[in-house]
Amino acid sequence: MSTTTETDQTTPLRSHIADFETTTSELLRPGQAIALLNFAALFHEVIYLPDTALGDHELIIKSFHQQAHGGFFQHFRGLIEQGILRVLVRDKVVVGGDVRVPNNPTITQIVEGWLYRDKKKWKGERGYTTVIEDRVRLAYCREVDHLIAQPGIIQRYNPDLVKANFRQIVRDQIEGGSSRLSQSIAHLPRELQRKYRKALNDPWFTNAELWRVLRKAKNPGESIILHGHINQQCFANVVGAGQSAQDSKGSSLASFNLELQRRRPLAPEVDATLNPPKNLEDLMERASVLLPSPGVEMFERLSIEKVIALRRRAKRIFEIARRKTSPSHSQDVRDEYLKALDTYWQHILQTFESMYPEKMKQPTRLGLFVEQELPTLDWLYKKFGRSLFALLLRLKLGPASSSVVDVVNHIGIVVLQERTPLNESLRGAIPPGRWYRRGILGLDRLN
């Protein structure tokens, strides 16, 4: 039985890039950043970045300073120019009760607001994370303001709502006493715990205020990462998106994210099935797809042009994600989506195999044995002549596109190849096996 569904052409499949949280900038290297951007761009029509990252992320600013027309910054620029990467920019700049810019500020004006805050409110203590010469920062801000000025790149948001959401989530996590965040804070020295709770009593505290306290610990690690994750989720909520992020270190961020969603400590992954999503887009926001580090690094190798070319094959996935579906049709949507996702993923892997065969294929042991041990056919030719039978035998063993000469010279290594462990791990990453069994796509099964 066929099913007719309505397609909402106004809501693209989208994600929020969480790895450009400024307080954890040291965890991200340039190549890894390119890989993460590419991966998100391949599976979403639109990806978002907050103004805090654009104004103060060390990787972006220093890449501009050191290689403005190449490397990471050039890749970053390309995604913005293609309209794939868009920026959440606040609709005003307010420091305390002082309205610095009442309407639609630029990145330059936002950064100036931070500098004013540091001088007036924090008595000269630095609140931004990137230390660089003022002239470089100013040149960078001007360049970025020009870059994002093209239509459709900026989406304005109310910073008061984002900050209020952040404060509420942090307070809920700390007051419970048994959450992962509260346990992380409990491991800090008592004096730092006291300063942290004092910061929480400030009715206007933000992630920046908490970071100023936590960075003074010898090993604040997880506490800063967890606050950063909450901060980025608040930005993601602005556009109704999930996060594209790396699991940096320590316990799983995916587990912590579910803890935030369910408002229960250490929420198990199965909880994602208890409230079935309304449509595929809602489902995608809960998805947890994990790639091993070497697999992620393969995406670092993709140019902007190659990302654009690959995205053309994602059209079917994007169309399915836009659909409004009912629970009764969830099985049909699941099957159709998995089929489209598998086809797209296989195409991506085939692209990797053609671009980097040395990474994706290797000779089998049998192939090596044949190449090293099998004698040439010269002695047979001398004894029996170059019969049609002998040539056909070699052709049958060789690749269909090879000439007779190629086959004769390359029977072993060319014919007998297998996938590398990296190739196999990538093939098993999407769709995750649990999606077929129960997991987040098992909408019709709750146990």
Side-chain angles (χ1 to χ4, degrees):
M1 181 178 66
S2 61
T3 301
T4 302
T5 57
E6 181 183 356
T7 299
D8 179 5
Q9 296 296 336
T10 64
T11 307
L13 182 60
R14 56 207 179 276
S15 186
H16 179 80
I17 306 296
D19 280 307
F20 289 90
E21 164 63 41
T22 59
T23 60
T24 57
S25 59
E26 75 281 358
L27 300 178
L28 196 61
R29 61 174 182 79
Q32 193 178 47
I34 291 176
L36 292 164
L37 285 174
N38 283 345
F39 185 82
L42 288 173
F43 289 92
H44 302 89
E45 290 179 85
V46 178
I47 53 180
Y48 288 92
L49 193 74
D51 51 11
T52 52
L54 206 56
D56 190 34
H57 197 281
E58 182 177 34
L59 178 59
I60 305 175
I61 297 175
K62 291 192 173 179
S63 177
F64 163 80
H65 179 47
Q66 296 165 2
Q67 44 182 188
H69 302 290
F72 169 72
F73 188 79
Q74 184 62 22
H75 198 88
F76 179 79
R77 179 200 299 273
L79 287 174
I80 291 178
E81 291 174 342
Q82 290 294 327
I84 299 171
L85 179 58
R86 302 181 187 179
V87 186
L88 297 173
V89 183
R90 65 199 66 196
D91 59 11
K92 55 184 172 293
V93 175
V94 181
V95 179
D98 186 3
V99 179
R100 304 294 296 174
V101 183
N103 295 298
N104 300 340
T106 62
I107 296 297
T108 301
Q109 291 172 323
I110 292 171
V111 171
E112 289 172 346
W114 294 336
L115 298 176
Y116 177 82
R117 172 203 62 193
D118 294 354
K119 181 179 180 180
K120 297 294 185 180
K121 186 178 179 183
W122 292 352
K123 300 178 181 180
E125 182 180 354
R126 176 172 61 89
Y128 53 87
T129 62
T130 303
V131 179
I132 201 164
E133 295 178 60
D134 289 344
R135 62 175 184 81
V136 174
R137 189 185 295 275
L138 180 59
Y140 165 79
C141 288
R142 287 173 176 169
E143 179 72 15
V144 166
D145 281 329
H146 176 74
L147 177 62
I148 66 176
Q150 60 178 303
I153 298 301
I154 293 177
Q155 178 166 329
R156 297 289 177 178
Y157 72 92
N158 184 342
D160 293 335
L161 297 180
V162 172
K163 293 173 183 178
N165 190 18
F166 174 82
R167 286 190 285 269
Q168 186 60 52
I169 293 175
V170 171
R171 283 171 175 153
D172 288 346
Q173 287 281 303
I174 296 299
E175 289 171 2
S178 59
S179 71
R180 183 165 151 198
L181 180 60
S182 63
Q183 292 172 10
S184 175
I185 296 300
H187 285 92
L188 296 175
R190 288 193 175 183
E191 179 60 19
L192 274 184
Q193 290 187 47
R194 185 188 66 79
K195 291 181 178 179
Y196 176 84
R197 294 188 178 278
K198 180 180 179 181
L200 289 186
N201 290 330
D202 182 344
W204 307 109
F205 79 85
T206 66
N207 189 38
E209 277 84 2
L210 301 184
W211 172 74
R212 287 173 64 224
V213 174
L214 295 172
R215 67 177 178 174
K216 296 174 182 177
K218 289 184 178 180
N219 186 24
E222 185 177 75
S223 298
I224 288 179
I225 291 173
L226 297 183
H227 283 92
H229 184 81
I230 294 173
N231 192 44
Q232 292 303 310
Q233 186 58 57
C234 292
F235 282 114
N237 291 342
V238 172
V239 289
Q243 296 189 46
S244 291
Q246 60 174 330
D247 251 5
S248 305
K249 54 186 177 181
S251 302
S252 168
L253 273 183
S255 174
F256 178 63
N257 192 57
L258 278 173
E259 180 179 324
L260 297 180
Q261 289 183 38
R262 307 304 303 148
R263 294 180 181 247
R264 289 205 305 272
L266 303 176
E269 197 163 326
V270 71
D271 275 6
T273 67
L274 299 183
N275 289 316
K278 297 182 289 297
N279 52 38
L280 186 64
E281 183 181 346
D282 187 20
L283 178 150
M284 288 282 288
E285 292 169 9
R286 307 183 191 188
S288 175
V289 174
L290 301 179
L291 290 180
S293 294
V296 171
E297 289 169 3
M298 288 298 294
F299 290 85
E300 174 185 337
R301 302 164 179 260
L302 297 176
S303 65
I304 293 293
E305 293 73 21
K306 186 63 70 173
V307 170
I308 298 300
L310 287 170
R311 276 169 57 94
R312 296 191 185 105
R313 297 296 189 105
K315 183 178 179 182
R316 186 61 179 159
I317 293 174
F318 296 159
E319 288 175 349
I320 296 172
R322 285 173 179 264
R323 290 181 185 174
K324 294 181 178 179
T325 61
S326 63
S328 62
H329 297 147
S330 61
Q331 181 70 39
D332 295 333
V333 173
R334 182 186 73 168
D335 293 344
E336 187 176 358
Y337 174 74
L338 284 175
K339 182 178 179 180
L341 180 62
D342 183 63
T343 299
Y344 181 45
W345 185 237
Q346 294 303 318
H347 177 72
I348 292 174
L349 296 185
Q350 289 169 10
T351 300
F352 285 155
E353 288 179 354
S354 64
M355 292 174 64
Y356 307 104
E358 74 284 358
K359 293 280 189 181
M360 302 293 285
K361 294 181 179 180
Q362 64 185 5
T364 64
R365 292 182 179 181
L366 176 60
L368 289 173
F369 172 80
V370 170
E371 184 184 40
Q372 294 169 2
E373 304 297 334
L374 189 68
T376 66
L377 295 183
D378 289 347
W379 65 279
L380 287 173
Y381 293 151
K382 289 178 181 178
K383 186 173 183 178
F384 301 104
R386 291 179 177 270
S387 69
L388 180 62
F389 173 77
L391 290 176
L392 287 176
L393 177 63
R394 294 291 268 202
L395 281 170
K396 184 177 180 180
L397 292 172
S401 61
S402 300
S403 67
V404 172
V405 175
D406 288 336
V407 173
V408 170
N409 291 335
H410 301 286
I411 179 173
I413 191 68
V414 171
V415 177
L416 300 172
Q417 288 183 325
E418 63 183 356
R419 295 167 182 163
T420 62
L422 169 62
N423 193 334
E424 291 292 352
S425 69
L426 284 170
R427 287 181 180 277
I430 296 180
R434 65 181 180 276
W435 286 13
Y436 289 103
R437 298 189 300 272
R438 180 187 61 194
I440 59 175
L441 277 176
L443 306 184
D444 53 337
R445 287 169 285 173
L446 300 181
N447 51 44

